Amino acid sequence: MHGGHMLIEEHMQFSSVLVPSNPGFVLTKIVGTLGPKTHSVEVIGECLSAGMSVARFDFSLLKADYHQGTLDNLKTAMKNVNKMCAVMLDTVGPELQVLNATGNPIELNEDAHVCLTPDLLKAPSKEILPINFPDLAKVVKKGDTIFIGQYLFTGSESTTVWLEVLETVDQDVICLVKNSATLAGFIFTMHVSQVNIDLPTLTSYDKQVISTWGTVNNVDLISLSYTRHADDVKELRAFLQSQDLHETQIYAKVENAEGLEHFDEILQEADGIILSRGNLGIDLPPEKVFLYQKSTIHKCNLAGKPAIITRVMDSMTGNLRPTRAEATDVANAVLDGADCILLGAETLRGVYPVEAIRTVGSICAEAETVSNQPNQFKAIVKHVGEPMSHDDSVASSAVRAAIKVKAGVIIVLTSSGNGARLVAKYRPPMPVLAVLTQFQASSSALTVTSQVRQLLLVRGIYPIYEDLIVDGESASSEKSSLKLAMSFGRSAGIVKNFDRAVIFQKIRDSFVVKIVNCCDY
């Protein structure tokens, strides 16, 4: 098991812990799910100012028209507060559901029996629950556990029921109710623990959403729900190519035991990983979730690919403050090496979306101050091995130099963002200002800006877009790029005049490193 790197100096006094925090920057990124409570321009603007750098659009419930209105408001909010934000489309995937056409509350009592049936013509009741999966009876066996509820949408356990399979009769599954609960609403998620469901990961509905809403809005990222195999990622990649979404990145959402079994191959194919602890917490025994979290994040760190953790602040869906356990959970995710924290119900329908983002940011910043970066650095260098490639050698040297000279910032001059990702891979303790320059008249500004936004998911990177195309010719210069970076850094409170900066840039076919004084720019 890896992860949980923490550095506490022996002479640290508890009195210093009580000093109010005043972080100048936060390295860990925050993904916010936009919805009913975060639909208006004003609230979205507050979320951006509080620290949200990625907006997630979940198509499990809300439809394209609603999401389009929210996205339009996001674009306005970005202009109002002068902040960039990446757009993530979250697919539905092979989601099993209980359908309650009437919407009337259904009371289930402990030790009672209930029948799960694919016959959607039957009225839902405490004895019968219609489901959208006709083959359930073929894949379950006596003793299997089935979860039903809205916990994954609301963050509340009060609408959750656990069932134990007793027997199957033709297409029906007879279950024992393990706890009393009231199912309220029209749709409830159904999850069968550690049972492989033979349904396509990329559904026809997902393809329709991507080919319309995703294409029109040129989305930056797609979260592929219920990723179980590397072929799932390959299939989506091919579909994106067919839709001319060549630059859209794929984040594999791993949410069951089957996905964990094939994690290494999935990681190799995906651009990043989302560890969906909501479903994982149902599919796995609770005591196993932290083990998989630490292991998978560590693997992502070694591969230099972003790792995103979900389900951290469920109580803030209805409360102003998180529980102590939740606050500790967020900090431990940062110490494990997470690049991003994803908020779902907390910002989608929570009462305190802005406060949730701000709270997560504060906890992340505090954890970053005690993160054992030297251990993480050594582990990645060891994993890369020898002989290192020239690019890895120079990138790791840039981070090592920045630490040795106590640089305030690393500035990466790049045309694609790859140089910035390479530096961030070695987990520098200071921010990385990535200046992406559109060098050629033939290059697409849309492509470059998408590459800039995609960097908003990578720990520590603050991306900046520099458009230097003048009358079809490049007006690029190193000095102008550095001035732009320094100006941005000062306005964001990252760079101070007395700081040193390490510069990492590609000249012809090689990356080079040098050290400058910020006051010179």
Side-chain angles (χ1 to χ4, degrees), residues 318-339:
N319 299 316
L320 183 59
R321 288 169 61 92
T323 66
R324 276 71 64 198
E326 289 172 332
T328 303
D329 184 33
V330 172
N332 279 326
V334 173
L335 297 175
D336 287 342
D339 289 73

Side-chain angles (χ1 to χ4, degrees), residues 32-333:
T33 303
L34 301 189
K37 294 296 184 180
T38 43
H39 178 76
S40 69
V41 173
E42 294 74 20
V43 174
I44 295 175
E46 290 180 44
C47 289
L48 292 169
S49 298
M52 181 181 76
S53 59
V54 183
R56 171 176 171 256
F57 294 83
D58 186 356
F59 278 79
S60 294
L61 288 177
L62 302 171
K63 301 303 180 182
D65 289 345
Y66 186 90
H67 283 312
Q68 189 61 54
T70 306
L71 179 55
D72 292 342
N73 289 343
L74 171 64
K75 293 176 180 178
T76 302
M78 284 193 287
K79 292 178 182 178
N80 291 348
V81 302
N82 195 28
K83 285 195 68 176
M84 285 188 296
C85 185
V87 173
M88 174 187 286
L89 187 162
D90 199 326
T91 65
V92 177
E95 188 170 83
L96 307 185
Q97 297 175 337
V98 173
L99 306 177
N100 179 18
T102 66
N104 296 328
I106 302 171
E107 291 188 14
L108 298 176
N109 297 314
E110 184 178 349
D111 293 331
H113 290 186
V114 64
C115 173
L116 304 180
T117 178
D119 187 350
L120 300 181
L121 296 178
K122 291 187 176 180
S125 68
K126 63 182 181 180
E127 289 89 17
I128 296 177
L129 295 177
I131 60 175
N132 69 341
F133 182 47
D135 294 331
L136 182 64
K138 296 179 181 179
V139 299
V140 298
K141 63 183 183 301
K142 183 178 180 180
D144 281 347
T145 298
I146 297 177
F147 159 94
I148 295 175
Q150 290 187 324
Y151 165 65
L152 298 176
F153 298 125
T154 65
S156 172
E157 292 276 14
S158 62
T159 56
T160 294
V161 65
W162 296 88
L163 309 176
E164 179 184 331
V165 175
L166 296 177
E167 62 175 331
T168 61
V169 180
D170 295 328
Q171 287 186 302
D172 294 345
V173 179
I174 312 302
C175 299
L176 174 69
V177 180
K178 302 293 288 184
N179 65 289
S180 298
T182 300
L183 301 180
F186 293 92
I187 298 176
F188 314 103
T189 297
M190 181 174 70
H191 188 98
V192 187
S193 296
Q194 300 194 34
V195 171
N196 297 343
I197 302 298
D198 187 20
L199 288 173
T201 301
L202 187 66
T203 67
S204 57
Y205 176 73
D206 294 328
K207 290 179 179 179
Q208 183 265 326
V209 167
I210 294 170
S211 64
T212 53
W213 194 88
T215 301
V216 168
N217 294 296
N218 196 48
V219 293
D220 304 306
L221 315 136
I222 291 183
S223 164
L224 182 59
S225 296
Y226 297 95
T227 303
R228 295 163 287 179
H229 303 272
D231 286 344
D232 296 337
V233 181
K234 293 177 182 177
E235 181 188 359
L236 175 55
R237 187 90 63 193
F239 183 73
L240 292 178
Q241 297 294 320
S242 72
Q243 301 300 312
D244 291 328
L245 290 171
H246 303 288
E247 300 298 325
T248 301
Q249 290 190 337
I250 299 172
Y251 276 62
K253 199 173 182 186
V254 178
E255 27 194 338
N256 56 28
E258 190 176 2
L260 289 173
E261 288 171 8
H262 303 97
F263 184 84
D264 291 345
E265 305 93 90
I266 292 171
L267 177 60
Q268 188 174 352
E269 290 295 331
D271 297 299
I273 295 290
I274 300 175
L275 199 63
S276 181
R277 301 191 308 174
N279 274 326
L280 275 175
I282 297 168
D283 210 41
L284 301 175
E287 66 272 16
K288 296 292 186 181
V289 176
F290 85 96
L291 290 169
Y292 283 107
Q293 172 175 317
K294 289 178 180 294
S295 177
T296 53
I297 292 178
H298 182 69
K299 289 183 177 182
C300 289
N301 289 168
L302 296 181
K305 294 187 178 183
I308 302 177
I309 294 297
T310 72
R311 306 311 297 245
V312 295
M313 290 285 190
D314 286 341
S315 71
M316 285 198 75
T317 303
N319 299 316
L320 183 59
R321 288 169 61 92
T323 66
R324 276 71 64 198
E326 289 172 332
T328 303
D329 184 33
V330 172
N332 279 326

